[in-house]
Each structure stands twice: as structure tokens, then as C-alpha cells.
Amino acid sequence: MPALVLGTASIRADVRRAPHLLIWAVLAGCLWAVANTLTIFAIRDIGLSIAFPLWNSNSLLGIFWGFLFFNELRQAGWRRWTGVLGGALVMCFGAALLAVASSTQATAGHSPRGVWAALGAGVLWGTMYIPYRKAYLTGMNPLSFVTFFTFGELGMMAALAVSYTGLAPLWRELQSARGVIFWLMLGGFIWVIGDVFQQYAAKYVGISRGIPLSNSNQLWGLLWGIFVFGELHGRGVSIYMQVVGGSLLMMLGVGAIAFSSATGKEQTRWKEAAQREGRRYGVAADYVEARMEGRQLAGESRPGRSAWDWLLVGGATSIFVVFATMARVPQMSFRWGPVVLLTPSGEPRASTESAIHL
């Protein structure tokens, strides 16, 4: 996707200006991979509808890191502080309701492990946003960041898979799962589209607000878990009340934080943090300022796409086509009616081409 939308020449230009950000991008990818692995165990032990909101507690950690390292919420005023802190407290209460409900929903003996796995994923995902914000304060394009993020993500996932199962058993599992690999790849492709939008949110509104806003996807997890996959089927009314009530409380907290937009004084403190990062890594101040404002430097030319870019796009597309020819429809028990209602009718698009390039 970065090769298609941005071009490898633009990515190389970003790297030349701020080579230190490569390490941060790879580190963020590694953190994501470990967190994602924890979510697998959480879903297995306590189910999607409960695990999803629990690991989205990363919002709380994102608020803390944003304040501590990047001057977010500094001089924001008492109304913004009330919205953010009040929203955080509401989210904590909602998460507590979900944790209580998990002891009834999960397989006996595994609910505490599932809760800790989901919360651990939230901690890692919340910390993962520190590299995000460092990169964007010093002017790196989100698509460039995602490119090197992917190297860390794939490398760590490969290491985890080999260490957990062994190389030979892993290869045998992949061979036996050829019929479903396409669906896994398709899910990853959809995730990348959503992640790109999340990257731009972290760039333009900060992690203390961007993370809670992106975590509105927890409601979709709840709806898919309950209505499509039948989680909580046959449970008592009290369990439904706890799960739905806890999720809605967390959503109310997200809303309170989202409406606490940054004031002019707070944005001035953001610029101070950006200038500090620029001085630390030797990035030109005018370049940092231009990227924070979503514009290019005067006289800066935008690199074009090369034959290498189209070769990458064609190669990636060919891989999808090959696995699509081997794909078979998985045998799963779910309800088609809710699937149709919950599936978006079209792909999200960026508002302007200039936003993508900046």
C-alpha cells in the first residue's frame, strides 16, 4: 500500500531526513506483534465480545504517555481535563463490569488468564504509540512509518510462531491451512487500511485523543461477537447487561475524551514537544513545522512513482490471486443476516490526496 499511495522514493526521502525513526518503527511493530498474540489467547479464553473492550483499555495508557512525553493536555483547561479524566474513569468502570462478566462467560479455569492476556495486550498497544508520536512530531509520513513497522511486525510474529510451535510443525500447519490463508491475508489487508487511518489520527490529534477515537471499533467487536458468532447465547440476562452495559460505558468515556479537543495553548505545547524532538535528532525546524501543519516545504518537490513501485504492487496482487485460487469457504457457524448489516458497503478513503502525502 505505501508503494501504491506514496511511492518508494518518498519513503526513502523520509528515511534520509530522520533515519533514527527506523528503529522506532520496527520497535512499534514488535510490540504490536506480541500484543496481537496475547489477544488470540484472550479471545480463546473469554470470547471476542469481552476481550475486545478489555484490551482497548490502551486508551488510558495512551493518555498518560501523551501527557508525560509529548505535552498533550498541557494547558488544556479544566473542561478538557474533566472530559479526558472523566472519560477515562468511565472506561475503567466499564472494563471492570466486563472483567466480572468474563468469569461466567469463559471456560472454567481460564477466565483470569484471558483477562490478563487482554489487559496485557492493552498495555503493549498503549506503549506502542510512543514511537508513533515521536515519528510524526519529527515529520515522518505515516505511510513511511507503516512500511518499517511491518518489518518489525512480521519479524516478531515469525519468531513467536517458530518458538511456540517449532519450524517443522509450523510449516506443516501452513501447508495444511492453504485453503484459509487467503482469508487471513484478506483480514490483514483490511486491518492495514484501518491502521493507516489510525496513524493519521495519531499524527493530527495526538495519542491521548487518537487512541480513544480509534477504539470505537470495540462496539463492532461486541456486535460481531454477539450477533454473528453467537457468543453469550443462552446466558442469563445479568450477563448480557454487564457486557452490553460495560461496553456502552467505555464508549461514553471515549466520547467524552473525543469531544475534549485541543485548544490553542495546548497545541503550542505540542509544537514545543516537536521542536524538542527535532533538536534531539537533528531534523530541520522548518521541516518539522511544515509536517505538523500538514503541508510541504516551499520549493519541495513530491517524488513520483517508479517502475519498482508498480512491480511491488503487481507482485503483492499476484500473491493474493494465487492464494485466492487455493481458498475454500471455511465451515463456520454464524448468522448471515447480521453479517450483511455489519459489513461496510464501501472502503474508507482519505479526505484529500495531500493528506495522504503528508
Side-chain angles (χ1 to χ4, degrees):
M1 180 177 290
L4 175 63
V5 178
L6 192 64
T8 54
S10 293
I11 296 173
R12 289 195 300 270
D14 267 352
V15 172
R16 284 195 298 268
R17 292 188 183 97
H20 67 282
L21 294 175
L22 293 182
I23 301 299
W24 288 104
V26 172
L27 176 61
C30 293
L31 291 175
W32 181 92
V34 177
N36 191 65
T37 303
L38 289 175
T39 65
I40 296 172
F41 292 102
I43 292 173
R44 182 192 65 183
D45 292 338
I46 59 177
L48 177 65
S49 56
I50 295 172
F52 210 124
L54 282 177
W55 70 58
N56 277 350
S57 60
N58 64 347
S59 298
L60 306 175
L61 196 55
I63 293 168
F64 175 73
W65 293 137
F67 173 81
L68 183 64
F69 291 125
F70 306 117
N71 291 349
E72 296 181 14
L73 295 175
R74 303 287 178 95
Q75 295 183 321
W78 69 269
R79 290 185 179 179
R80 266 69 181 180
W81 271 104
T82 301
V84 172
L85 292 181
L89 291 174
V90 170
M91 291 176 68
C92 286
F93 185 67
L97 282 179
L98 292 165
V100 172
S102 70
S103 61
T104 304
Q105 157 68 8
T107 304
H110 295 310
S111 58
R113 184 175 64 187
V115 169
W116 283 113
L119 291 175
V123 169
L124 291 176
W125 271 332
T127 304
M128 176 187 72
Y129 283 88
I130 295 176
Y132 281 31
R133 192 61 170 152
K134 287 180 73 71
Y136 304 146
L137 282 177
T138 47
M140 193 174 207
N141 188 291
L143 288 170
S144 300
F145 186 89
V146 168
T147 300
F148 298 100
F149 173 97
T150 304
F151 285 103
E153 169 196 348
L154 293 178
M156 179 58 73
M157 284 303 302
L160 290 172
V162 171
S163 62
Y164 188 74
T165 63
L167 185 58
L170 176 62
W171 178 251
R172 287 195 295 270
E173 285 190 29
L174 291 175
Q175 289 280 79
S176 63
R178 284 180 297 177
V180 297
I181 288 179
F182 169 75
W183 304 109
L184 300 176
M185 293 172 60
L186 187 60
F189 178 75
I190 295 172
W191 175 85
V192 167
I193 295 175
D195 186 62
V196 168
F197 282 92
Q198 188 180 45
Q199 301 280 347
Y200 279 95
K203 175 178 179 177
Y204 288 115
V205 301
I207 59 177
S208 61
R209 294 172 175 86
I211 300 176
L213 285 172
S214 64
N215 282 351
S216 60
N217 61 357
Q218 70 185 55
L219 185 57
W220 288 99
L222 175 70
L223 294 174
W224 277 85
I226 292 178
F227 294 110
V228 176
F229 298 111
E231 294 184 4
L232 305 183
H233 179 70
R235 303 290 177 175
V237 175
S238 62
I239 300 300
Y240 276 96
M241 293 294 292
Q242 288 174 351
V243 172
V244 176
S247 293
L248 291 178
L249 281 174
M250 293 188 75
M251 290 300 299
L252 286 174
V254 167
I257 296 170
F259 283 105
S260 302
S261 58
T263 61
K265 290 183 179 180
E266 183 184 352
Q267 290 178 357
T268 299
R269 298 302 302 272
W270 289 10
K271 291 182 179 180
E272 292 175 2
Q275 292 167 0
R276 180 197 66 211
E277 294 293 317
R279 289 192 300 269
R280 176 178 296 169
Y281 298 113
V283 182
D286 56 347
Y287 173 78
V288 171
E289 183 178 358
R291 286 298 186 262
M292 280 198 68
E293 296 174 357
R295 59 179 175 84
Q296 290 182 290
L297 286 172
E300 181 184 4
S301 61
R302 180 177 298 169
R305 296 177 184 84
S306 64
W308 172 247
D309 296 324
W310 296 115
L311 183 62
L312 286 175
V313 173
T317 304
S318 299
I319 293 173
F320 270 86
V321 171
V322 168
F323 280 102
T325 61
M326 297 186 291
R328 57 178 174 80
V329 179
Q331 298 298 316
M332 298 177 62
S333 177
F334 58 87
R335 304 178 180 93
W336 278 106
V339 169
V340 174
L341 293 175
L342 293 173
T343 302
S345 59
E347 293 182 359
R349 291 178 173 84
S351 58
T352 63
E353 184 180 354
S354 61
I356 288 292
H357 284 276
L358 297 176

